[in-house]
Amino acid sequence: MGTTVVGFRLGWDAKGRQATVVLTQAGVLHHSTGLLGMAPRPARPHAPTAPDPHPVPRQAATLRKLYADLVDRGYSRELIPPACVRLDVDEHPLHARPFGDRAPRAHPELIDDFTGVAPAGPGSLEDALAAFYTAIGLTPRRRAPAAPGAAGASPAVRDALRALSEGRTLASRPRRGAGWTVTTGSVRLHVGPVGADLTHREVADLQAALTAWLRHQGPRGG
């Protein structure tokens, strides 16, 4: 019979690691982590809270959070962009109370099948979720329109573009010495009396913010 799933795989190049997350039509979240180029290690799946009449939307919200959390931690390269696919693998049936000894067990074949058939082209998480909802017969949730200039941008830049389009201010994390703020109208650096070096993470955040700002402003003459 098979099952329909939505998922993604993100890579952290600096650490040489990867993370894969897959949501099934039964509302079960499967995830695995491991070294780039090596077989990932599947973790215990996360089953929906029972009884839950609407497990998929709740688990989809968790999927969104996992994606954002992974990107925030450094998994910023989309090895497999978000996609909805139909798998040949049958999903393990859930117990009526899937907790403790009855919790779902790891299902590496399901993750392997997803990574084997997922398309390699670009795709957004919201588009993949909308396709997933449609495929399993649910009404797709309304999603926010894409920020202008977001095509081809990294997840961090897309998030920054969305924030600028909504009129929000982008800012560096609180620290002593140097810092920055980016708004729709300006880019401002803040330097203390002696200045300070930015960390690798802070440089990446600033690069994403500046790239988003330039895309938001659009092409302008010299």
Side-chain angles (χ1 to χ4, degrees):
M1 292 177 58
T3 186
T4 300
V5 303
V6 59
F8 56 82
R9 171 173 285 177
L10 301 178
W12 186 355
D13 291 335
K15 296 289 186 179
R17 297 193 62 80
Q18 64 183 13
T20 309
V21 185
V22 177
L23 172 63
T24 72
Q25 64 187 62
V28 179
L29 275 168
H30 296 263
H31 50 99
S32 65
T33 59
L35 297 175
L36 287 170
M38 303 293 288
R41 183 178 68 256
R44 172 171 288 189
H46 178 66
T49 302
D52 188 345
H54 306 291
V56 169
R58 295 181 192 278
Q59 294 288 70
T62 302
L63 184 74
R64 289 187 180 94
K65 184 177 186 303
L66 286 172
Y67 184 93
D69 288 347
L70 285 167
V71 170
D72 190 57
R73 286 165 51 193
Y75 290 83
S76 57
R77 185 158 68 95
E78 290 184 337
L79 302 174
I80 299 178
C84 168
V85 294
R86 179 72 183 177
L87 306 183
D88 292 332
V89 173
D90 289 335
E91 188 173 357
H92 293 158
L94 278 179
H95 191 278
R97 297 181 60 82
F99 306 104
D101 294 339
R102 301 176 297 272
R105 63 187 186 276
H107 197 165
E109 297 86 0
L110 186 146
I111 295 177
D112 289 344
D113 204 26
F114 168 75
T115 58
V117 302
S124 73
L125 182 57
E126 292 306 319
D127 286 343
L129 282 170
F132 178 63
Y133 274 73
T134 299
I136 64 176
L138 295 179
T139 302
R141 295 293 181 91
R142 182 183 299 276
R143 59 187 188 275
S154 70
V157 172
R158 290 201 297 267
D159 289 343
L161 268 169
R162 186 176 299 108
L164 290 176
S165 298
E166 294 171 354
R168 291 185 279 141
T169 297
L170 305 174
S172 57
R173 287 173 166 76
R175 69 192 306 271
R176 295 182 179 180
W180 51 267
T181 56
V182 176
T183 68
T184 55
S186 67
V187 176
R188 182 180 295 272
L189 295 177
H190 311 283
V191 181
V194 295
D197 292 333
L198 298 178
T199 66
H200 184 276
R201 173 57 188 277
E202 289 167 334
V203 171
D205 287 345
L206 178 56
Q207 180 190 38
L210 292 177
T211 301
W213 187 82
L214 289 171
R215 291 188 179 222
H216 187 269
Q217 294 295 311
R220 295 193 174 190

